[in-house]
Amino acid sequence: MSETPEDFIQADESNPYDSEDELQGADVGTVQSSLTSISESLMKGVVGEGQRTYAAYGKEEYGFPMDDKELDRIDLCHVKYSALLDKHLFFAPIEDPQRILDLGCGTGIWCIDMAEEYPGAQILGVDIAPTQPEWVPPNCQFELDDIEQEWTWKKNAADFIFCRDPIFSIRDFPKLIDQCYKHLKPGGWVEFQCVTGVLKCDDGSIPKDSHLQVMANNVQIASEKFGTPIDDPSRWRGWFEARGLENVVEKVFKMPCSPWPRDERLKLVGAWEQYNLLNNLEGMTMRLFQKTMGWTEEEILVFSALLRKDLKNLSFHGYWPYYVVYGRKPLDAEEAADAQELGTSPTTAQPVGETT
């Protein structure tokens, strides 16, 4: 099942939106995080490309940094995605969840919002970088772990598993989806959300030789060399269905690169994305381009300066596809697994179109 928004976004030909306005973050709750036991070396991370700080846990190959500037960017993206998705934190039709797992939780802001939305649920956020706050709602906690390794949590236990923006981080999505399946309760839901970074334009307004298009092309090439193809979200639906998840839904949203749309909500989303790109280009590309393309720091800085001019050009009507894919573990999944081990068929299995 696939759902897509309206195909064409109308461009605003009037005054450009002022994207330099200050953007306010969100407050958090009041309980100490479990991360206080993490060693000082892991908390500090390691200084890497462009003098940015990167995670010092796991494979140390996550493409983005973990310093204060990056954390501000993540929180800004949370607000931006809320506007893009019309204030939806998720789309899966969960009911009365008891255990929720957030994979790659970043600053923990989604976990905190979910903990407040579902006070009866236990929310666990997991990340390789200990960047979450110490004061959170009592039903929210965080763990330092690498979700690409074998999970140690109890199987068949989670009501809802969520993953947002796993960009430049996951090298084997089928394995990750398989682990989600194993750790969901029968009837539980899993949902992935991410921007692809594959530049789209419906009206041909972006020249092929523009720095914006060249950057997008280079990111796609570099991400494949890095082992984390930027267009993986476009394959999520097939991987969900191949694992056995049912009622799989794919939604694709258009996230403008700048405030060029006429629609006020999309104009605001575009303003936030423009601000995000203008202020964080080097953090997004420094490790990726140096490790895969052999670019020097100076070359990246020069290219970023040229790219910023294109990002301010509101006659370029570009957008990034934003994928949301969710599916449910079948209610009879546990019985089917037990039957497979015994070499029998589950009693509830029926040929398609037949009833008892």
Side-chain angles (χ1 to χ4, degrees):
M1 182 177 182
S2 179
E3 298 183 11
T4 56
E6 302 300 332
D7 281 339
F8 194 79
I9 304 175
Q10 290 188 330
D12 184 6
E13 305 298 340
S14 62
N15 294 329
Y17 185 88
D18 182 7
S19 63
E20 301 300 326
D21 292 346
E22 291 186 359
L23 299 172
Q24 301 298 323
D27 294 332
V28 296
T30 57
V31 160
Q32 188 174 17
S33 164
S34 61
L35 291 177
T36 54
S37 62
I38 303 299
S39 69
E40 184 178 357
S41 62
L42 291 181
M43 293 293 288
K44 289 183 176 179
V46 294
V47 178
E49 293 77 12
Q51 297 301 303
R52 300 296 297 270
T53 303
Y54 294 84
Y57 185 85
K59 298 183 295 299
E60 301 184 27
E61 285 298 325
Y62 175 48
F64 287 135
M66 57 162 278
D67 48 28
D68 288 343
K69 187 173 183 179
E70 173 64 8
L71 302 188
D72 289 341
R73 187 192 74 82
I74 293 174
D75 284 347
L76 170 62
C77 285
H78 180 72
V79 178
K80 177 182 64 182
Y81 296 150
S82 177
L84 177 67
L85 306 181
D86 200 20
K87 299 183 180 180
H88 284 86
L89 285 170
F90 60 91
F91 287 90
I94 61 175
E95 297 181 4
D96 191 27
Q98 301 301 305
R99 293 180 177 86
I100 298 174
L101 176 62
D102 182 11
L103 306 175
C105 64
T107 64
I109 191 169
W110 185 88
C111 295
I112 293 167
D113 280 358
M114 287 294 286
E116 294 173 347
E117 182 75 17
Y118 295 95
Q122 291 298 314
I123 318 294
L124 175 63
V126 184
D127 204 285
I128 61 169
T131 55
Q132 299 76 37
E134 294 184 354
W135 298 94
V136 297
N139 59 326
C140 179
Q141 62 178 333
F142 301 107
E143 287 186 5
L144 186 70
D145 211 339
D146 185 346
I147 59 174
E148 288 204 280
Q149 303 302 313
E150 288 299 319
W151 296 2
T152 58
W153 306 301
K154 184 179 178 181
K155 295 180 180 180
N156 300 303
D159 297 286
F160 185 37
I161 298 178
F162 182 79
C163 183
R164 185 175 69 184
D165 265 0
I167 191 169
F168 303 151
S169 62
I170 305 300
R171 286 162 174 77
D172 191 345
F173 271 112
K175 177 183 176 182
L176 182 67
I177 295 166
D178 183 64
Q179 296 217 78
C180 290
Y181 187 95
K182 292 176 181 177
H183 288 265
L184 279 174
K185 289 180 180 178
W189 291 85
V190 56
E191 177 169 330
F192 287 2
Q193 297 184 8
C194 195
V195 63
T196 66
V198 177
L199 184 65
K200 298 290 185 178
C201 178
D202 295 336
D203 61 5
S205 59
I206 301 179
K208 293 182 179 180
D209 60 350
S210 66
H211 291 94
L212 181 57
Q213 185 63 64
V214 172
M215 184 276 292
N217 295 343
N218 284 334
V219 167
Q220 189 157 5
I221 295 170
S223 68
E224 291 176 359
K225 292 182 177 180
F226 199 59
T228 58
I230 201 77
D231 59 345
D232 267 347
S234 66
R235 291 180 278 273
W236 283 348
R237 179 187 175 191
W239 288 332
F240 272 41
E241 293 173 338
R243 183 54 184 91
L245 292 163
E246 63 182 13
N247 299 336
V248 177
V249 174
E250 176 189 84
K251 295 176 179 284
V252 185
F253 298 84
K254 296 181 178 182
M255 188 168 72
C257 301
S258 67
W260 61 262
R262 183 181 301 173
D263 178 86
E264 288 300 321
R265 180 176 60 85
L266 290 178
K267 182 189 292 292
L268 181 61
V269 172
W272 276 326
E273 176 61 4
Q274 183 190 60
Y275 181 92
N276 172 42
L277 294 170
L278 289 173
N279 290 276
N280 296 286
L281 282 176
E282 291 80 10
M284 296 176 183
T285 60
M286 189 65 70
R287 168 171 279 198
L288 186 68
F289 283 1
Q290 285 190 337
K291 283 184 174 292
T292 64
M293 310 286 279
W295 288 25
T296 65
E297 181 177 344
E298 290 74 20
E299 288 173 327
I300 294 171
L301 292 174
V302 170
F303 184 80
S304 296
L306 296 171
L307 175 58
R308 285 185 172 90
K309 294 182 179 180
D310 280 2
L311 290 170
K312 295 177 181 178
N313 188 343
L314 299 190
S315 67
F316 290 177
H317 302 156
Y319 64 88
W320 314 112
Y322 186 90
Y323 279 77
V324 175
V325 179
Y326 57 90
R328 186 179 71 162
K329 183 175 181 176
L331 286 167
D332 62 352
E334 191 170 2
E335 180 182 354
D338 292 341
Q340 186 175 18
E341 291 181 3
L342 295 172
T344 61
S345 299
T347 57
T348 55
Q350 296 288 336
V352 175
E354 295 189 16
T355 59
T356 54

